[in-house]
Amino acid sequence: MTAVSPTAAPSDRLGIVGRLAASRITQLQKGYLNDDGAAVATLARLRTAAGKDAMSIPQLWGLIDTSPLYERPKDAAVRPLREHELQWAEQAFHAALSLWAVHQQSRRTEMHHGARPYRGELGAAVRRLMPANEIDEAVHKRFVRAGTAPSWPRLAQRLRDLVVLLRQAGVPLDYALLADQLYTWRQPGGPQAVRAAWGRSFNAYRPAADAAGTDNDNTSDTRSSETDKDAS
């Protein structure tokens, strides 16, 4: 049995990559919003990897502790990750954190939300960028390009383009779920599974859901929540 299912799991059933991302992002997000200098500096360094392979950037080696990925599972029925799976896991983990670092930059509210089903998934977040009963063709085109990315480098770059739009609108994302999905994407059949999950969340999202939730609709003015303290 593999340590992470090759299908995109819902946010309440995260795999090892998603759990690690949730732990590290939650800690960094808290520090960043409390103006902790170390957290602010870490996010600035993480942003340099957005859309790139973090493992090719020596300045990021050891920046975030990923040792749980290498530990032998306590459950005897779950085997440790193989070498190529560890590479995929590291890449997915760092991709999610670097994208979140771009998303969180200068925002004074949490841009990572461990959300309810469909609410925080990429497709739902992208749908929130659009008018309630319309499809914004420019945004939709970028979403489709991410979903049909032919390679890992292209996927990372296209996700960064979407995250910039989400940041500008103040729309949060479940980065723990995204980390798991990025790991799934590297596995056989993974791109199809992740693409289907993103499509489902896009179609399932309804603007009325925000009225009962804690998030503001994307039509609200979010500029007042920004600061230029880390605009570098």
Side-chain angles (χ1 to χ4, degrees), residues 103-120:
H103 200 162
Q104 189 66 59
Q105 182 183 12
S106 300
R107 306 299 311 188
R108 303 309 303 158
T109 56
E110 297 177 349
M111 291 295 102
H112 160 63
H113 278 191
R116 291 161 285 179
Y118 297 124
R119 288 291 312 285

Side-chain angles (χ1 to χ4, degrees), residues 153-223:
R154 291 286 184 86
L155 176 64
Q157 293 165 5
R158 293 174 183 182
L159 286 176
R160 188 188 188 283
D161 291 342
L162 285 176
V163 164
V164 169
L165 297 180
L166 295 175
R167 178 195 166 277
Q168 291 171 348
V171 175
L173 186 65
D174 186 341
Y175 279 93
L177 178 58
L178 181 65
D180 263 352
Q181 291 177 330
L182 293 178
Y183 176 61
T184 295
W185 195 93
R186 304 304 301 273
Q187 302 176 36
Q192 294 89 338
V194 173
R195 189 180 304 128
W198 289 348
R200 284 195 303 271
S201 66
F202 181 89
N203 292 328
Y205 175 75
R206 294 294 180 271
D210 280 333
T214 58
D215 302 331
N216 294 326
D217 188 79
N218 60 289
T219 57
S220 63
D221 187 353
T222 59
R223 289 173 295 179

Side-chain angles (χ1 to χ4, degrees), residues 9 33 79 84 125 128 142 170 182 231-232:
L33 294 177
R79 65 166 175 78
H84 67 282
R128 290 184 64 186
R142 291 195 181 193
L182 293 178
S232 61

Side-chain angles (χ1 to χ4, degrees), residues 1-47:
M1 178 182 292
T2 58
V4 180
S5 169
T7 59
S11 57
D12 60 344
R13 292 168 51 199
L14 294 171
I16 185 174
V17 180
R19 292 195 300 271
L20 182 60
S23 173
R24 300 296 185 256
I25 291 176
T26 298
Q27 182 180 18
L28 283 169
Q29 187 165 251
K30 181 179 179 180
Y32 180 85
L33 294 177
N34 287 330
D35 293 322
D36 176 76
V40 172
T42 297
L43 264 71
R45 293 173 67 184
L46 284 171
R47 285 196 298 274

